[in-house]
Amino acid sequence: MKKLNLLFTTFTILLLVGCKEKLQEKEVTQYAIKKGDIVNTIINDEDDYYHINFSSYPSNDKTLPIGVFDSGTGGLTVLKAIVNYDQNQNESLEKGSDGVLDFNKESFIYLGDQANMPYGNYSKENKVDLLKEHIIKDAQFLLGSKYYSNTEDTYVNTDKKPIKVLVIACNTATAYGKEYIEEFLLKANSDIKVIGVIDAGVRGVLESLKKDEDAIIGVLATTGTVASKGYHNTIIKFKNKLDYTGNIEVFSQRGIGIAEAVDEDPNYFNKNLKKPRKDYKGPGLDGDVQIDKTLFDIYNFDFDNNKMLCDTEKSDDCSILQINDAQNYVRYHLVTLLEKIRKSKTTNKLKSIILGCTHYPYLTDEISLILKELYSYKGKDGQYLYRKFMVENINLIDPAVDTAKELHEYLKKEALFNLNGNIKDSEFYISVVNKDNGNNKIDEQGRFPYDYKYGRNAGEIQEYVKVVPFSRNNISDDILTRFQEQIPYVYQLMQNFNENNSKTKSIKQKDKI
């Protein structure tokens, strides 16, 4: 396997070992920063790390894997829907389950850009250009051949396969980056198909309604997705396009902290804390996103085991209150959503909620439980507070299933199904902070501090991160346990990748999934 060294500002020595070629550094110093546009760099700068030679990119190759990326591990819920999809006959490709998984001969390459997440905050910090740069780098990884064996590896491997389809398993990345990726591929003269989750999710929610039905559609999504109005605008577009005549209202709620708690972002969740901390970014008693003390009884927060962090022993006396649990984040945001609907004085009812972030399907049981609590909640006057604004069984729409449907339809149309492949050849990668890049600022936990993460500028082309295989070195035991319980087949594919793929041979046995 051929390996190429990184671009350092110091000189390196060429070392030939057998049939392998390596560039061995004498000294690791600071990475060079190139000013420019990431799209032009990838397409035109042959000397840059991110360059891809699209003139030799394989076209219409059935044997290539399918690329899937997300801002973290939430997109694995989309991959779960895809790999478990069985809605068609495998021989004829006609509709109808045959007991054989529809994509069982396809392989997948998954990327979670964990180091740069959450994507939803970039728009809030006026860094949409930086977000788009990250998104293009995600696409570049899937289209390209490079990865690192581990965090400490200073040599980049070049034996990763390119892809035949690109699935954006991230709502924020779809909202801000799908068209940008398509423009990038057009400039590169590439015909790679790009599939995003938003269109698929909207089709799914409209299919759950009658053409003349009145309804409120709730959208629970990241700050970035809500700010983009991606779901709102797409719902209106498809409503008109598909001739829905009912009174459809859309209420959106920014799910600040939910995805971050799922992925254990320390600015939003830290199971080791017992008291509030200064770097907390979630809802609080003060600030832009406030916990309303008058709604405490409705929130029904769980204070056990430091799931809420208060500066006093009695929760009623808190002057500082911080959420430190995924379910408590869900409680806060669902109550906030229902309050918006109640105060709007609408005569409509909430019938569906789009889970507009790929992390949220991990919490469908919690979401359903809390919605039932709110349906049955009575105020001090003994009257149901929210019942006239919501149906008893609200339909939770996971766009992942409709994404799988769209992928199947595309592969069928273009005759791109792999006839002899094996889903066990799937690969899983995650971004980690590049500690060898002296330009990076890194906290004690080995992550980008919030101010640095969102303080960087687009147009400074450098390797902020390294992309490495999934392992216990970069995914916590708690998260892996959740994978094992909630996405078991995907978890088995991760295990197979760690155990049997040559790309993970440098991972110690104790660190394998």
Side-chain angles (χ1 to χ4, degrees):
M1 177 176 61
K2 186 177 180 180
K3 293 184 174 183
L4 300 176
N5 192 25
L6 304 167
L7 177 62
F8 293 98
T9 55
T10 52
F11 289 100
T12 57
I13 300 175
L14 179 64
L15 179 66
L16 298 177
V17 183
C19 62
K20 297 180 180 180
E21 184 178 289
K22 294 182 180 180
L23 293 177
Q24 183 180 25
E25 75 229 41
K26 295 178 69 175
E27 181 182 2
V28 176
T29 59
Q30 192 172 357
Y31 275 50
I33 300 174
K34 290 185 178 181
K35 298 286 185 178
D37 173 69
I38 186 63
V39 168
N40 290 329
T41 299
I42 295 170
I43 297 172
N44 299 317
D45 191 346
E46 296 181 4
D47 296 324
D48 192 83
Y49 172 85
Y50 292 106
H51 176 66
I52 295 175
N53 182 5
F54 281 99
S55 64
S56 61
Y57 196 96
S59 180
N60 297 317
D61 186 342
K62 299 179 182 181
T63 67
L64 292 181
I66 296 163
V68 182
F69 81 85
D70 180 46
S71 61
T73 61
L76 292 168
T77 62
V78 177
L79 187 59
K80 171 192 174 183
I82 294 172
V83 301
N84 288 287
Y85 195 69
D86 177 25
Q87 299 295 322
N88 303 277
Q89 302 286 315
N90 283 54
E91 293 296 326
S92 66
L93 301 181
E94 296 303 318
K95 293 186 182 298
S97 172
D98 60 0
V100 179
L101 298 176
D102 289 344
F103 297 101
N104 71 323
K105 292 186 178 179
E106 301 297 330
S107 61
F108 298 86
I109 297 180
Y110 181 87
L111 168 65
D113 188 18
Q114 182 94 340
N116 292 310
M117 74 86 66
Y119 278 6
N121 288 347
Y122 285 92
S123 62
K124 182 180 72 173
E125 302 295 342
N126 297 314
K127 291 290 182 175
V128 170
D129 286 349
L130 179 61
L131 171 61
K132 289 183 175 180
E133 189 172 282
H134 292 329
I135 291 169
I136 291 295
K137 286 181 178 179
D138 294 336
Q140 184 276 342
F141 169 77
L142 292 173
L143 295 161
S145 62
K146 298 176 181 177
Y147 67 97
Y148 290 87
S149 297
N150 52 64
T151 307
E152 289 73 34
D153 196 359
T154 55
Y155 303 111
V156 63
N157 304 296
T158 60
D159 62 334
K160 183 194 137 301
K161 288 184 178 181
I163 58 171
K164 62 183 178 183
V165 184
L166 195 160
V167 177
I168 308 177
C170 175
N171 290 270
T172 304
T174 301
Y176 287 99
K178 181 174 182 286
E179 292 182 358
Y180 191 40
I181 293 175
E182 290 170 337
E183 291 171 3
F184 155 53
L185 292 171
L186 186 63
K187 289 181 180 178
N189 295 316
S190 171
D191 59 357
I192 297 293
K193 171 71 172 178
V194 182
I195 296 174
V197 289
I198 289 181
D199 284 7
V202 170
R203 290 192 185 97
V205 74
L206 290 177
E207 286 175 1
S208 71
L209 301 173
K210 298 176 182 178
K211 286 292 182 81
D212 61 351
E213 187 173 354
D214 297 337
I216 293 173
I217 296 174
V219 177
L220 184 62
T222 66
T223 296
T225 301
V226 171
S228 74
K229 294 188 176 180
Y231 272 105
H232 184 278
N233 293 338
T234 306
I235 288 170
I236 301 304
K237 180 180 75 174
F238 278 94
K239 173 184 181 292
N240 296 329
K241 181 180 178 180
L242 301 175
D243 297 323
Y244 279 79
T245 59
N247 177 22
I248 295 178
E249 298 178 83
V250 182
F251 284 79
S252 298
Q253 174 61 28
R254 300 180 298 159
I256 297 169
I258 300 177
E260 293 86 347
V262 169
D263 264 341
E264 299 187 356
D265 184 319
N267 289 305
Y268 298 86
F269 169 81
N270 187 332
K271 65 181 180 180
N272 298 315
L273 293 178
K274 295 182 179 180
K275 60 183 180 179
R277 74 279 201 187
K278 292 182 179 180
D279 57 354
Y280 175 71
K281 300 295 181 181
L285 298 177
D286 299 309
D288 296 334
V289 186
Q290 290 192 8
I291 297 172
D292 188 342
K293 277 194 170 183
T294 66
L295 301 177
F296 262 24
D297 186 52
I298 306 174
Y299 292 136
N300 194 25
F301 290 132
D302 181 357
F303 278 79
D304 292 341
N305 300 315
N306 301 308
K307 292 178 181 178
M308 297 292 294
L309 303 176
C310 176
D311 60 343
T312 63
E313 290 185 6
K314 293 183 178 181
S315 59
D316 291 341
D317 298 331
C318 296
S319 60
I320 299 174
L321 184 64
Q322 298 175 355
I323 301 174
N324 197 43
D325 171 69
Q327 182 169 321
N328 280 338
Y329 276 109
V330 172
R331 288 185 175 279
Y332 169 80
H333 289 297
L334 289 180
V335 170
T336 305
L337 175 63
L338 265 296
E339 280 292 293
K340 284 182 185 178
I341 294 171
R342 183 178 69 86
K343 291 178 180 179
S344 74
K345 298 181 180 180
T346 180
T347 57
N348 233 337
K349 287 195 173 186
L350 177 64
K351 295 184 177 178
S352 301
I353 295 178
I354 297 175
L355 303 180
C357 174
T358 52
H359 293 72
Y360 299 171
Y362 288 123
L363 301 166
T364 50
D365 289 345
E366 290 86 344
I367 293 171
S368 296
L369 173 66
I370 295 164
L371 287 172
K372 289 185 182 300
E373 287 181 13
L374 295 174
Y375 183 80
S376 300
Y377 180 82
K378 291 182 179 180
K380 293 180 180 179
D381 59 359
Q383 301 298 309
Y384 292 109
L385 186 62
Y386 301 117
R387 187 165 288 195
K388 68 178 181 179
F389 301 106
M390 61 191 296
V391 297
E392 182 174 3
N393 296 306
I394 291 173
N395 193 14
L396 299 182
I397 303 296
D398 180 0
V401 176
D402 294 282
T403 303
K405 179 181 178 182
E406 185 174 342
L407 176 61
H408 189 278
E409 289 173 351
Y410 173 75
L411 294 180
K412 177 182 177 181
K413 177 184 176 183
E414 300 298 326
L416 278 176
F417 274 103
N418 191 344
L419 302 179
N420 300 299
N422 190 337
I423 199 169
K424 291 183 178 180
D425 292 332
S426 297
E427 302 174 7
F428 298 83
Y429 298 87
I430 194 166
S431 69
V432 295
V433 171
N434 185 353
K435 296 178 181 179
D436 295 323
N437 184 348
N439 303 311
N440 277 335
K441 294 182 181 178
I442 306 170
D443 64 19
E444 294 178 354
Q445 295 172 307
R447 306 193 189 203
F448 293 136
Y450 186 94
D451 290 343
Y452 175 71
K453 183 185 294 187
Y454 299 104
R456 296 171 291 176
N457 295 310
E460 297 179 356
I461 311 301
Q462 59 179 305
E463 290 180 70
Y464 293 115
V465 305
K466 293 180 179 180
V467 177
V468 302
F470 274 27
S471 74
R472 292 184 181 275
N473 287 320
N474 46 57
I475 302 178
S476 74
D477 288 342
D478 288 345
I479 291 177
L480 288 173
T481 298
R482 186 176 70 243
F483 291 168
Q484 191 172 12
E485 293 173 351
Q486 298 187 4
I487 51 172
Y489 189 33
V490 174
Y491 183 79
Q492 290 173 25
L493 294 176
M494 290 180 206
Q495 288 183 305
N496 187 74
F497 175 53
N498 268 198
E499 287 293 340
N500 301 314
N501 196 298
S502 62
K503 296 180 180 66
T504 61
K505 62 184 179 182
S506 69
I507 300 175
K508 295 178 182 178
Q509 192 62 40
K510 68 179 180 63
D511 296 324
K512 292 185 176 181
I513 297 172

